[in-house]
Amino acid sequence: MVLTNADVDHIAGLLTLREKTPFVIHATAETLSVLAANTVFGVLDPALVDRRTIMLGAEFSPVEGLTVTAFAVPGKVALYLEGDAPQTNVIGEQTIALRISDGAKRLYYVPGCADIPDWLVTQLSDGDLVLFDGTVWADDEMAVTGTGGKTGGRMGHIAMSGDTGSLVRLAGLTDCRKVYVHINNTNPVLQPDSPERAEVSAHGWTVAQDGLEFRL
Amino acid sequence: MVLTNADVDHIAGLLTLREKTPFVIHATAETLSVLAANTVFGVLDPALVDRRTIMLGAEFSPVEGLTVTAFAVPGKVALYLEGDAPQTNVIGEQTIALRISDGAKRLYYVPGCADIPDWLVTQLSDGDLVLFDGTVWADDEMAVTGTGGKTGGRMGHIAMSGDTGSLVRLAGLTDCRKVYVHINNTNPVLQPDSPERAEVSAHGWTVAQDGLEFRL
């Protein structure tokens, strides 16, 4: 198991895997420290569940035949660690992306990303498959739909639409499969017949769904 | 919401109720302190989720028309708080039972109970409905089924069968509906055609299932 973030949607599932199933958790020192500070994760028996520290940029192999390299992407700390004035677009160990390879093909997993600077576009450009943060279509869609006051940016997620959005910023990635993941229930691309779904499809994106499988 | 224990099966669901749904958590000071010590429960926005301390023996009314009185039953602290040599049969704020009444009828909710002393039998005797700890059929069933090394007693749960078990100890409660809840997946009463199911049925017990409703 590789954790890319300490937010609840990334770690709460660990509490339903107990007990007595051996596995390994790979996460940054920062994310592991969050697990350690929350005693409830003590249900993961240390005798069975090994916790290994990810060093950013250093390749590791959680499964035979696959190597993983983690790197920081713009993001923020978990909601419950925010404090009064959180920074929502920082580079550190809070939010990471994964480059996964079998030696021949490359997959990027980027479920949370607050911004897409040029270096990130360059980084992703050798990917055969990119799974990218598809939380919101529009930065203000939660306010518009009356479901919350926060923008996508405030939650640490770049929108799909707009000049700085992932559709435009990653349009140059034409030689790979692009899949939106981590999609909020306010995002209209979840509606198969929506104009937004048509637009992301026209840009070559797939909207992830349960059970999706890829062969590279 | 009323919490009777701080173990993962009682509190992890709180993490999937976020965000922005207002509700009230009632729990003992000890259980509330566990939530407070685990920062992950900070996803429950204090502006929307009120945490109220249950005083054992003191009636409170979480819902109009219903009163609840909590009392301690034999049990233990949550798995992840056990330490090296946990006491598995103590009376305190770790494990509580609820007496719920509309003024006319009485329901007891006892999802965890390590032992059934005489005073508890007496306490439950005015119940119109008793929902009781049905974790294991036999104290050693996890070892016997090869699913784990712990006994029911080690986990803080009295077995159904045996001289000290709930079938025998609560046999005198003939004027109420008795329902087993909190049933472990090793418990043979979950099999509708098992002799153990037949035995609990013959003793007047119902085995709880999803969607069960009662009218008292």
Side-chain angles (χ1 to χ4, degrees), chain B residues 69-105:
Chain B
T69 311
F71 54 97
V73 291
K76 68 169 185 66
V77 296
L79 171 66
Y80 55 91
L81 300 173
E82 281 188 355
D84 290 332
Q87 292 183 282
T88 56
N89 181 349
V90 290
I91 301 273
E93 290 205 334
Q94 308 91 351
T95 304
I96 62 173
L98 306 177
R99 180 184 193 270
I100 306 174
S101 178
D102 67 349
K105 303 284 185 172

Side-chain angles (χ1 to χ4, degrees), chain A residues 26-190:
Chain A
H26 299 267
T28 63
E30 178 160 333
T31 294
L32 288 180
S33 76
V34 175
L35 296 186
N38 279 270
T39 56
V40 67
F41 292 99
V43 294
L44 303 167
D45 185 345
L48 297 167
V49 179
D50 196 13
R51 304 179 185 202
R52 296 186 197 160
T53 305
I54 291 176
M55 307 299 292
L56 298 183
E59 194 175 277
F60 63 102
S61 181
V63 178
E64 194 177 331
L66 288 183
T67 57
V68 176
T69 311
F71 55 97
V73 290
K76 68 168 184 67
V77 295
L79 170 66
Y80 54 90
L81 300 173
E82 281 189 355
D84 290 332
Q87 292 183 282
T88 57
N89 182 350
V90 291
I91 301 272
E93 290 205 333
Q94 308 90 350
T95 303
I96 62 174
L98 306 177
R99 180 185 194 271
I100 305 174
S101 178
D102 67 350
K105 302 285 186 173
R106 287 157 301 279
L107 150 64
Y108 286 95
Y109 178 59
V110 196
C113 190
D115 187 29
I116 308 176
D118 290 344
W119 64 260
L120 181 55
V121 178
T122 303
Q123 169 75 70
L124 300 178
S125 64
D126 69 348
D128 297 284
L129 172 61
V130 173
L131 306 176
F132 198 82
D133 182 346
T135 308
V136 291
W137 166 259
D139 193 51
D140 64 353
E141 78 189 34
M142 286 188 31
V144 168
T145 57
T147 52
K150 288 181 182 172
T151 62
R154 174 60 185 78
M155 299 189 293
H157 298 287
I158 189 79
M160 294 176 174
S161 64
D163 290 345
T164 61
S166 52
L167 273 184
V168 166
R169 293 292 294 152
L170 300 180
L173 304 182
T174 53
D175 201 25
C176 78
R177 304 181 75 165
K178 296 185 285 190
V179 179
Y180 279 126
V181 296
H182 194 276
I183 302 169
N184 200 48
N185 57 12
T186 52
N187 191 325
V189 302
L190 289 174

Side-chain angles (χ1 to χ4, degrees), chain B:
Chain B
M1 202 162 304
V2 184
L3 304 178
T4 59
N5 189 277
D7 235 321
V8 165
D9 52 344
H10 294 266
I11 65 169
L14 293 170
L15 301 177
T16 62
L17 294 170
R18 67 166 188 144
E19 303 170 35
K20 305 303 177 194
T21 303
F23 62 96
V24 178
I25 297 173
H26 300 267
T28 63
E30 178 161 332
T31 295
L32 288 180
S33 76
V34 176
L35 296 186
N38 279 270
T39 56
V40 67
F41 292 99
V43 294
L44 304 169
D45 185 344
L48 296 167
V49 179
D50 196 14
R51 303 180 186 201
R52 296 187 197 160
T53 305
I54 291 178
M55 307 300 291
L56 298 184
E59 194 174 277
F60 62 101
S61 182
V63 178
E64 194 177 329
L66 287 183
T67 57
V68 176
T69 311
F71 54 97
V73 291
K76 68 169 185 66
V77 296
L79 171 66
Y80 55 91
L81 300 173
E82 281 188 355
D84 290 332
Q87 292 183 282
T88 56
N89 181 349
V90 290
I91 301 273
E93 290 205 334
Q94 308 91 351
T95 304
I96 62 173
L98 306 177
R99 180 184 193 270
I100 306 174
S101 178
D102 67 349
K105 303 284 185 172
R106 285 157 301 280
L107 150 64
Y108 285 95
Y109 179 59
V110 196
C113 189
D115 188 28
I116 309 177
D118 290 343
W119 64 261
L120 181 54
V121 179
T122 303
Q123 169 76 70
L124 300 178
S125 64
D126 68 348
D128 297 285
L129 172 61
V130 172
L131 306 175
F132 197 83
D133 182 346
T135 308
V136 292
W137 167 258
D139 193 51
D140 65 352
E141 78 188 34
M142 286 188 32
V144 169
T145 57
T147 52
K150 288 182 182 172
T151 61
R154 174 61 185 78
M155 298 189 294
H157 297 287
I158 189 78
M160 293 176 174
S161 63
D163 290 345
T164 60
S166 52
L167 274 183
V168 167
R169 292 292 293 151
L170 300 180
L173 303 182
T174 53
D175 200 26
C176 77
R177 305 180 74 163
K178 296 185 286 190
V179 180
Y180 278 125
V181 296
H182 195 275
I183 302 168
N184 201 46
N185 57 11
T186 54
N187 191 325
V189 303
L190 288 174
Q191 300 288 352
D193 58 355
S194 67
E196 293 84 357
R197 169 70 74 93
E199 189 167 342
V200 301
S201 298
H203 278 76
W205 287 82
T206 298
V207 173
Q209 60 186 33
D210 286 351
L212 206 59
E213 293 187 10
F214 292 96
R215 189 170 295 270
L216 299 180

